[in-house]
Amino acid sequence: MAKKDVKKVVLAYSGGLDTSIILKWLQDEYNAEVVTFTADIGQGEEVEPAREKALKMGIKPENIFILDIQEEFVKDYVFPMFRANTIYEGEYLLGTSIARPLIAKKQIEIAEKVGADAVAHGATGKGNDQVRFEIGYLSLNPNITVIAPWREWDLNSREKLLRYAEKHGIPIEKHGQKSPYSMDANLLHISYEGGILEDPWAEPEESMWRWTTSPEKAPNEPEYIEIGFENGDPVSINDSAMSPATILRTLNEYGNKHGIGRIDIVENRFVGMKSRGCYETPGGTILLKAHRAIESITLDREEAHLKDSIMPKYAELIYNGFWFSPEREALQALIDNTQKNVNGTVRLKLYKGNVEVVGRRSPNSLFDANYCTFEEDEVYNQKDAEGFIKLNALRFIIKGRQK
């Protein structure tokens, strides 16, 4: 679709400098009516000011959408991902990746509601988010036109963006010294990229971290908490039932207090380059430890091992933007089927950046002390192990005799 053919476009709009410039650029370059969508996914910043900023940019009140989607985000995206114990490349808990499909879904829903023929995002042409957004859009509406300004315009430096903003009267807010990092936040995590982090040898300064207390300054006494699970999802903390978003928010508070959830990694982006990023995922780090603990007593051995074997593929699908793919949905169905007996309680000790499992119990526990005890028992005949070992060693015995 040519620029002149786009009549109405839904923009993922934060109200910050970049998306404000994109808003004006869409009006000028496409001569299109712009609809703004601002998602509250627990990023910890006020989203309502985006309304006033959009109004000042000439957006009609009925074309401004600000939605609190925190509960949907945690219930339908974060929790399903944690049922798989998902980690990308051994460390990353996919905080940015898992938010993108929901934002894309809401944009498409708004586009259908207002009769828009295009959607737009502010992701750059170097990153993963352009892929995640656009695969999401096209999975949900293959006929939608996608506008990615960073791949079209020549405003490829902060200086050019500032000049454009000044030329077009776009307000530039200054709240003291600007952070040197590119950051993304939601209820699951906050990320940091750019600045000195582009040198993988450089240690980030302590002032960079925003969501967690330094482990060195965390309380000198450990704190114990209990997380209750039903069908693989957390439903309570210390016997208090909570909504999905409230549970994650509460776990974030515990993690923040005890310096839990910081990582510093170099990851492989889907577009081909390596990228160094730092992440804080306090509540998610606690939740992952707890979920694996409750699974350890409720899942059959082969069931658990099968889950572990498919997890890297599942993580890769989310990282690369294939949340709405049939293969991810197929894996999700398998994963969810394993969770029907993942019920019970896990007790955790939180101390100076560490999460330690110190107890787990379940009405569906497969742990039977009668079989595994080191004391005398009446249910297990140790002589049975001899035949078991010989049968498993038979191929080695045959090969050895040939030699």
Side-chain angles (χ1 to χ4, degrees):
M1 183 180 287
K3 286 184 178 182
K4 58 181 173 55
D5 296 327
V6 173
K7 296 180 175 60
K8 185 179 290 189
V9 55
V10 179
L11 169 65
Y13 179 69
S14 69
L17 178 62
D18 288 6
T19 53
S20 294
I21 289 173
I22 290 172
L23 192 161
K24 177 61 176 174
W25 183 86
L26 289 169
Q27 292 171 327
D28 292 346
E29 294 294 317
Y30 281 83
N31 193 29
E33 184 176 6
V34 178
V35 177
T36 63
F37 165 53
T38 305
D40 183 354
I41 47 178
Q43 56 266 46
E45 297 178 351
E46 287 291 327
V47 295
E48 195 58 34
R51 188 185 308 276
E52 288 302 316
K53 293 177 182 178
L55 288 170
K56 290 178 181 178
M57 297 290 290
I59 305 301
K60 300 175 183 177
E62 63 269 24
N63 282 345
I64 300 173
F65 291 81
I66 298 177
L67 303 179
D68 183 342
I69 52 176
Q70 295 180 67
E71 291 291 350
E72 183 178 359
F73 173 54
V74 180
K75 177 178 178 290
D76 295 339
Y77 293 81
V78 174
F79 281 3
M81 181 176 72
F82 272 80
R83 289 175 209 144
N85 301 318
T86 313
I87 304 177
Y88 180 70
E89 295 188 337
E91 294 190 84
Y92 177 36
L93 292 176
L94 296 166
T96 296
S97 314
I98 195 59
R100 297 326 190 201
L102 177 56
I103 295 172
K105 175 175 175 281
K106 292 302 178 183
Q107 273 185 272
I108 293 298
E109 289 176 355
I110 292 169
E112 292 172 351
K113 181 177 182 178
V114 302
D117 45 25
V119 289
H121 63 77
T124 74
K126 283 188 175 183
N128 298 305
D129 280 342
Q130 59 180 334
V131 184
R132 296 165 182 155
F133 280 128
E134 294 179 36
I135 289 180
Y137 298 149
L138 298 173
S139 297
L140 299 168
N141 184 348
N143 298 314
I144 200 76
T145 294
V146 178
I147 302 174
W150 282 94
R151 299 202 302 259
E152 294 186 28
W153 66 21
D154 62 353
L155 305 175
N156 53 9
S157 71
R158 183 159 184 83
E159 291 71 23
K160 288 183 177 180
L161 289 171
L162 291 173
R163 286 200 298 269
Y164 185 95
E166 184 178 3
K167 177 181 177 181
H168 294 280
I170 299 170
I172 303 171
E173 295 184 3
K174 296 182 179 180
H175 300 288
Q177 187 175 1
K178 183 182 182 297
S179 170
Y181 304 103
S182 172
M183 297 182 294
D184 174 76
N186 57 52
L187 198 52
L188 181 57
H189 91 151
I190 184 170
S191 66
Y192 310 88
E193 292 180 315
I196 65 168
L197 300 181
E198 293 182 356
D199 176 2
W201 184 253
E203 180 181 1
E205 65 271 25
E206 178 59 34
S207 61
M208 179 193 75
W209 305 102
R210 297 190 175 198
W211 276 24
T212 55
T213 300
S214 169
E216 293 89 343
K217 297 179 180 179
N220 291 323
E221 295 296 327
E223 184 170 8
Y224 292 81
I225 65 169
E226 294 183 1
I227 301 177
F229 287 88
E230 291 181 6
N231 299 320
D233 291 342
V235 294
S236 66
I237 298 176
N238 297 333
D239 292 325
S240 296
M242 301 177 184
S243 72
T246 305
I247 281 180
L248 186 53
R249 192 177 298 110
T250 303
L251 291 178
N252 280 337
E253 293 170 359
Y254 280 115
N256 179 349
K257 177 181 178 181
H258 293 281
I260 293 165
R262 294 182 180 186
I263 62 169
D264 180 341
I265 63 174
V266 174
E267 67 199 62
N268 288 293
R269 286 183 179 174
F270 190 26
V271 296
M273 67 190 73
K274 291 185 181 291
S275 172
R276 194 265 190 99
C278 293
Y279 301 91
E280 291 176 280
T281 319
T285 302
I286 296 170
L287 178 56
L288 177 65
K289 193 81 170 182
H291 185 258
R292 290 202 68 99
I294 195 64
E295 281 193 331
S296 73
I297 61 171
T298 57
L299 288 189
D300 171 79
R301 181 189 69 186
E302 295 306 313
E303 191 177 33
H305 291 182
L306 177 61
K307 277 191 76 233
D308 282 346
S309 72
I310 66 173
M311 184 278 286
K313 177 62 177 179
Y314 180 90
E316 184 179 89
L317 289 171
I318 295 175
Y319 185 85
N320 292 344
F322 291 89
W323 177 262
F324 297 111
S325 68
E327 60 269 33
R328 199 282 309 175
E329 292 175 350
L331 290 177
Q332 191 72 59
L334 186 156
I335 291 161
D336 291 351
N337 188 63
T338 69
Q339 301 296 289
K340 58 183 179 295
N341 290 323
V342 182
N343 308 303
T345 304
V346 176
R347 188 168 72 249
L348 303 158
K349 181 166 71 172
L350 313 179
Y351 181 65
K352 290 191 176 295
N354 295 300
V355 185
E356 183 180 349
V357 177
V358 294
R360 68 290 273 165
R361 63 188 178 194
S362 169
N364 307 110
S365 177
L366 299 177
F367 183 91
D368 190 332
N370 291 319
Y371 281 91
C372 62
T373 180
F374 282 93
E375 304 301 328
E376 183 178 357
D377 70 82
E378 298 180 356
V379 296
Y380 185 81
N381 186 346
Q382 297 197 28
K383 292 181 179 179
D384 291 343
E386 181 178 356
F388 172 78
I389 294 168
K390 284 186 176 180
L391 285 176
N392 276 280
L394 183 58
R395 58 195 176 101
F396 305 117
I397 294 170
I398 292 172
K399 185 176 181 180
R401 285 176 178 171
Q402 288 178 343
K403 293 179 180 179

